[in-house]
Amino acid sequence: MILLLFLAFLIFLIIGIPIAFALGLSSMVYLLFSDIPLIVIPQKMYAGLDVFVLLSIPGFILAGNLMNAAGITQRIIAFCNALLGHIRGGLGLANVGASMLFGGISGTAIADTASIGSVMIPAMEKEGYDKGFSCAVTATSSTLGPIIPPSLPMIIAATMTGLSVGKLFIAGIIPGLLLGLGLLGLTYFISVKRKYPKKKRASLMVMVKSFYQAFWVLMMTLLILFGIIGGVFTPTEASIMAVIYALLIGLLVYKELKWAQIPKVILDSAKMTASLMVLVGFANLFAWIMTVEEIPQLIASGLLGFTENKFLILLLINILLLFVGAFMETIAALLILFPVLLGVAVHVGVDPVQFAIIMVMNLVIGLTTPPVGVCLFVAPSIGNISLEKITRAGFPFLLVSLIILLLVTYVPEVSLFLPGLFYD
C-alpha cells in the first residue's frame, strides 16, 4: 500500500500537479484502497492547521508584501551599492548584501530572487557582468532569506515539534551571516579574477542618506527578533506588530504605499497564505499515513542499523535532504521529513535546535540545486539565459554553501551559541 502512495505522488508530480494537491490526491488514492474511512482527510488536515503559532504566517506574509509595496527593494539595493559599490565587483557584492537585508523581511527564497533579481540582474548585465554570474549570485544569495529571521520554514519546524520560534530565529543568525560572508568572499574573488567594474566611492552624504532610507527596514527585523526573544510578544503578536509597522513606514515615512494599493496587497497575501495552508493540511495527512505505515520507524531503524556514529548519520541525512530539496518544495519537505529525521538526530546526540537549522539550510540550498531547484528557474527567467548556463555559473556558489552547511552540521556552537546566551 505504501508503494501505491509514493507511486501516485510521483505520477501526480510528473504530470505537473502542484505539490500540495499531489500530496492530497496521492493520500486519497491510498485511502480509497485501504480500510481507513475518508473522514480522516478533513480531520488530519484540520489537526495540522490547528496550531496557534501558524497564525503568525499570514501576518509575516502581509508585512513583507506591504514593505515591498512601499519600495524597500530599491532602498536596500541603494544602501548596499553606496556601501560596497566602490569595491571590485561592487554590484555583485551589493546583490548578496541586499539579499542578507531583504531576507529579514521576506523570509522566503523565491520572493528574494524575484524582487532583488528583477532590479539587480539587468543592472549587472548593463555594467558588463556575465549573465550567468549575475543570475547565479542572485539565486544563491536568495537562500539567506529562510535562514536569517524571520523565517517561515523555521516557524513550520517549531510548529511540528514544540521548539521555541524565538530560539530557532536567533539560532539562524550566525549560520546566515556565515553563508552571506562566504558568498561575498566568492563574489569578490570571481569579480577580481574577471576584472568586473567598480564604481566611484559614494560620498559620506550619500551613504548617510541611503542608510537612513534602509534604517527603517532594518528596524523591522530587530523589532520582530528582540520582541520575541525579550518576551514582549509571541510570534503571532510579532507578526501583527510587523504589519502595523509596515503600514506606518509605507504610508508615513516612505510615502510610496498608497491606500488604494492596500486591498490588493491584502488579497495577494491571502492567496499566498491560503496556498501555504493547503500545503500544510495535505502534508499533515500525508505524514499521518506514513506514520500509520511505520515509515518513520523504518527510516530510523535503517539509518541506525547502518551506523550509530553521529558524524556519519549527519552526513547521510545531509545527502538525503540535499537530494529531497532539489525536487521538493522546502515547507512540504519539512512537514514530511522533519519529525522523522529529528528522532534519529536526537538519538545520536544532536540538539533539536541545531538540527532544525541543519534541515532548513539543506532544503533551501536544494532550491539552487539542479535539476528542479525553484530559484534556478526564477533567476534565468529574469536574465533570459538557459538552465545549463546558470547551473555552470552557480557551481562555485553551491560549493561555498555546502562548506558552510558542513560547518553548521559539525560545529554545534555555530547555531547554538546565541540561543545559549539569550535562553539559558
Side-chain angles (χ1 to χ4, degrees):
M1 287 296 291
I2 196 64
L3 289 177
L4 178 63
L5 176 72
F6 288 119
L7 182 61
F9 178 62
L10 288 173
I11 290 172
F12 289 133
L13 283 182
I14 289 169
I15 63 178
I17 292 177
I19 190 166
F21 296 106
L23 288 168
L25 289 171
S26 57
S27 299
M28 184 175 289
V29 169
Y30 171 90
L31 293 172
L32 287 172
F33 285 90
S34 71
D35 297 328
I36 302 172
L38 294 180
I39 190 64
V40 302
I41 294 177
Q43 288 176 343
K44 297 305 173 184
M45 286 185 68
Y46 180 78
L49 296 171
D50 188 24
V51 182
F52 180 73
V53 75
L54 285 180
L55 288 173
S56 65
I57 290 179
F60 284 127
I61 290 174
L62 177 56
N65 287 342
L66 286 170
M67 292 295 275
N68 280 335
I72 65 163
T73 305
Q74 290 80 0
R75 287 173 169 82
I76 290 175
I77 290 172
F79 172 60
C80 293
N81 258 328
L83 201 63
L84 303 169
H86 63 282
I87 304 173
R88 180 72 64 184
L91 269 184
L93 298 175
N95 195 331
V96 179
S99 291
M100 293 176 74
L101 297 181
F102 189 81
I105 302 299
S106 70
T108 60
I110 298 170
D112 188 336
T113 303
S115 298
I116 302 287
S118 62
V119 177
M120 292 300 292
I121 291 174
M124 291 176 71
E125 181 187 354
K126 186 177 179 181
E127 292 288 328
Y129 289 80
D130 177 73
K131 272 189 178 183
F133 174 79
S134 305
C135 292
V137 170
T138 304
T140 311
S141 63
S142 70
T143 59
L144 296 166
I147 302 171
I148 297 174
S151 164
L152 298 186
M154 288 183 192
I155 294 173
I156 297 293
T159 299
M160 292 185 296
T161 57
L163 293 171
S164 164
V165 174
K167 267 191 177 182
L168 292 187
F169 276 7
I170 199 169
I173 292 176
I174 293 179
L177 291 176
L178 285 176
L179 181 56
L181 291 172
L183 296 177
L184 284 170
L186 178 61
T187 301
Y188 176 72
F189 174 79
I190 294 175
S191 297
V192 170
K193 188 176 179 181
R194 297 182 182 177
K195 295 183 172 55
Y196 285 143
K198 59 181 179 179
K199 295 185 176 181
K200 184 180 178 182
R201 184 185 294 271
S203 67
L204 180 61
M205 184 60 69
V206 170
M207 292 183 68
V208 170
K209 184 178 178 180
S210 63
F211 172 74
Y212 171 77
Q213 292 292 321
F215 170 78
W216 300 104
V217 180
L218 301 177
M219 285 303 296
M220 182 175 179
T221 304
L222 294 177
L223 170 73
I224 295 167
L225 188 59
F226 288 104
I228 294 174
I229 293 170
V232 179
F233 34 66
T234 66
T236 302
E237 292 165 345
S239 69
I240 303 306
M241 291 298 297
V243 170
I244 295 171
Y245 181 89
L247 278 171
L248 293 174
I249 296 304
L251 292 169
L252 303 179
V253 179
Y254 292 159
K255 298 181 180 178
E256 286 192 25
L257 179 64
K258 307 302 179 186
W259 286 104
Q261 294 176 273
I262 294 177
K264 183 179 184 305
V265 172
I266 293 174
L267 180 60
D268 291 343
S269 301
K271 290 178 181 177
M272 291 173 65
T273 301
S275 64
L276 182 57
M277 292 306 175
V278 168
L279 174 59
V280 171
F282 280 135
N284 191 66
L285 173 64
F286 191 91
W288 177 79
I289 292 173
M290 289 179 63
T291 303
V292 169
E293 291 284 347
E294 299 185 344
I295 299 302
Q297 293 89 329
L298 288 173
I299 293 174
S301 61
L303 285 171
L304 296 173
F306 178 74
T307 179
E308 289 205 16
N309 182 285
K310 175 180 176 180
F311 299 104
L312 282 178
I313 287 288
L314 286 174
L315 180 62
L316 291 172
I317 289 175
N318 277 338
I319 293 170
L320 171 65
L321 291 177
L322 286 169
F323 176 77
V324 170
F327 289 90
M328 188 178 288
E329 198 272 340
T330 302
I331 291 177
L334 264 177
L335 288 163
I336 294 169
L337 292 175
F338 186 50
V340 177
L341 297 176
L342 179 62
V344 177
V346 170
H347 180 83
V348 296
V350 181
D351 186 278
V353 172
Q354 180 197 3
F355 186 71
I357 303 301
I358 291 171
M359 182 132 189
V360 171
M361 285 192 71
N362 266 293
L363 295 175
V364 297
I365 289 172
L367 294 174
T368 62
T369 304
V372 291
V374 178
C375 292
L376 287 184
F377 290 90
V378 176
S381 67
I382 297 171
N384 195 27
I385 63 169
S386 65
L387 179 63
E388 181 184 358
K389 188 169 183 180
I390 189 176
T391 300
R392 286 200 310 268
F395 179 76
F397 295 93
L398 179 60
L399 188 60
V400 168
S401 298
L402 293 176
I403 291 170
I404 302 300
L405 173 63
L406 290 175
L407 185 65
V408 173
T409 300
Y410 292 114
V411 184
E413 287 305 306
V414 172
S415 52
L416 298 180
F417 174 71
L418 287 181
L421 284 180
F422 285 92
Y423 283 93
D424 293 338

